[in-house]
Each structure stands twice: as C-alpha cells, then as structure tokens.
Amino acid sequence: MLNMMSNGRVPRKVAKSHLTANHHEPVSVDRARQLIRTHRAWDGMRVLGHLDLHGVADLYQLPDNLTCESLDISDCVNLTSLPSGLHVTHWIELAGSGITQLPAGHGFVLRWRGVQVSDRIAFASQPMTGQDILNTENVELRRILIERLGYETFLQQVGGLVRDRDRDAGGERQLVCVSFDDDEPLMILKVICPSTGHTHVLRVPPYMRSCRQAAAWIAGFDNPDDYHPLIEA
C-alpha cells in the first residue's frame, strides 16, 4: 500500500554518516599532532605513542585530559601551562617551552634536552651559580645548567680564556673559551650589534680558532674566506 501511495518511490531511512569522528577511539601520533596544530583536538584525546610537538611556535594550549606515552613540547614558547587531567606515562620534554612552573607534587618526569631534571633545574631562573656549575660532575647536567643560567651570565661569573679578538662594525669581538677536564670546551663568540649596541653571546663549535671563523660559521659558512658580509654583527 505504501508503495502504491508513493508511486513506487518508498522513502528510505537516511543512513548515519561514517565520516563523523569517533572521539572515543585513540589516535595515531601523526594524526594527533595535526589535530593539535590546527586547533581541532578534543578534550579526552588519547594518543597512541610519543606525542612530538617540539618547535610549534603557535601552540597556546593542549586539550584537557590528554593522554599519551610521552610528550615533547620543547621550544613551544607560547605554551605556558599544561592542561588539567593530563596523563603522560613516561616523561615530558620541556626545554625552551613557555612552562615556568608546575604545581607541587605534579608527578611528571621532566626532561631538558633529553636529560631528566628536577623542578628546580627546569624552572628556576638562576638554578645555580657559575662556580656551582663548574663543580657539577655530571657532564650532561652541567650543559643544561649552563643553558639555564645563560651563556652571558655564566661567562660573567666564571670568566674564560680569550682565544682571539678583532673588530667589526659594532666594535670589538671576542672568542672566549671555558675549558673542562671531562668535556669539550665551551666556545663563545661575543659580538656587539652596530645598530643597538647590545652585546650578543653566541655559542660556537669548540674547534673555532678566530672570531671571523666563528662569525662565518654562525652565518652558515664552513670556509671563512667565503664570508664577505657588508656589515658584520
């Protein structure tokens, strides 16, 4: 009868779309990274594996109740807090991120450039003095402490041997070396910006022998003879 009344056209039920995302299912690390970077992640997202978000400059927040095995937010400078309900099975890498503190007793294992660190090292603006850092026996930890303290402050506190000096448009440049008994030396190029007068302290490879060689390396030249800047800074 229904078929006759509709002239043979029986209305069919509309099938449910299979394209709707199932937010209850875990997602791959690549998919999770894409969703988070495009601000389409949902609260309660579960990620299958290590979630690598390092260097995402426009990352401002993570979804609440996010779950993953490990989390890399290094150099995410605009991410200043972790979401509520975050569950990370192993560790969080946060070197260079905008995270400056976490609640006491947070329970996360923290890393800085791959080395496990305490809250004090991760968040204190000046975790130790330069002399304390020199007395630190763990090489990897010492490198992190120097980075946390800052190369300029470290040199101010411990000094160093000036291996070379010359002049460019900004004024005097210095190639300064700090030696360690159990690690490669810390080599620093100190230059003055001719526009602002600000001193820049830049780490360069330990095999640098001259200011010009170091400046060329910073500019991307292996051979300093190929480096001919109009203005060196």
Side-chain angles (χ1 to χ4, degrees):
M1 179 65 71
L2 180 59
N3 187 56
M4 293 175 58
M5 292 176 61
S6 59
N7 295 323
R9 298 188 298 274
V10 180
R12 298 179 179 178
K13 295 182 179 180
V14 178
K16 294 184 179 179
S17 172
H18 294 287
L19 299 178
T20 303
N22 187 346
H23 290 181
H24 297 291
E25 294 295 327
V27 298
S28 68
V29 291
D30 291 338
R31 178 62 173 159
R33 178 179 171 87
Q34 180 185 30
L35 289 168
I36 291 173
R37 294 198 64 173
T38 55
H39 313 291
R40 294 183 293 124
W42 55 85
D43 291 345
M45 174 183 285
R46 292 184 293 147
V47 181
L48 294 171
H50 167 62
L51 181 55
D52 183 359
L53 297 170
H54 82 275
V56 181
D58 60 347
L59 179 63
Y60 292 88
Q61 62 181 9
L62 294 171
D64 288 341
N65 300 306
L66 173 67
T67 297
C68 58
E69 291 185 6
S70 54
L71 176 64
D72 186 346
I73 52 172
S74 58
D75 300 318
C76 294
V77 295
N78 289 309
L79 182 65
T80 58
S81 63
L82 296 179
S84 62
L86 175 65
H87 179 76
V88 179
T89 307
H90 299 303
W91 46 262
I92 301 175
E93 168 65 59
L94 44 68
S97 71
I99 308 294
T100 58
Q101 62 179 356
L102 289 175
H106 53 75
F108 295 121
V109 175
L110 304 179
R111 286 189 176 187
W112 192 281
R113 309 297 182 203
V115 179
Q116 184 172 331
V117 296
S118 65
D119 285 34
R120 177 175 178 240
I121 294 173
F123 302 129
S125 58
Q126 292 190 349
M128 301 177 74
T129 67
Q131 189 58 51
D132 289 336
I133 294 173
L134 288 179
N135 295 333
T136 300
E137 296 183 357
N138 186 300
V139 172
E140 294 296 333
L141 182 57
R142 185 195 303 145
R143 293 175 180 174
I144 292 170
L145 291 171
I146 293 173
E147 180 182 346
R148 296 294 294 119
L149 183 62
Y151 297 125
E152 184 172 8
T153 302
F154 182 68
L155 284 182
Q156 289 174 350
Q157 293 186 5
V158 306
L161 176 64
V162 178
R163 288 287 181 85
D164 184 48
R165 67 176 80 226
D166 64 11
R167 299 187 69 85
D168 69 353
E172 185 180 77
R173 298 186 298 193
Q174 291 184 357
L175 184 65
V176 184
C177 177
V178 179
S179 298
F180 304 101
D181 293 334
D182 54 354
D183 193 15
E184 64 182 20
L186 174 68
M187 197 70 71
I188 297 293
L189 178 66
K190 297 176 65 176
V191 299
I192 301 174
C193 175
S195 301
T196 65
H198 179 72
T199 299
H200 295 278
V201 178
L202 309 169
R203 184 171 187 176
V204 296
Y207 57 82
M208 297 289 109
R209 292 296 177 263
S210 70
C211 295
R212 180 168 177 78
Q213 182 188 17
W217 179 86
I218 291 170
F221 293 88
D222 293 329
N223 186 351
D225 293 335
D226 296 332
Y227 179 52
H228 302 288
L230 296 176
I231 296 178
E232 288 185 305

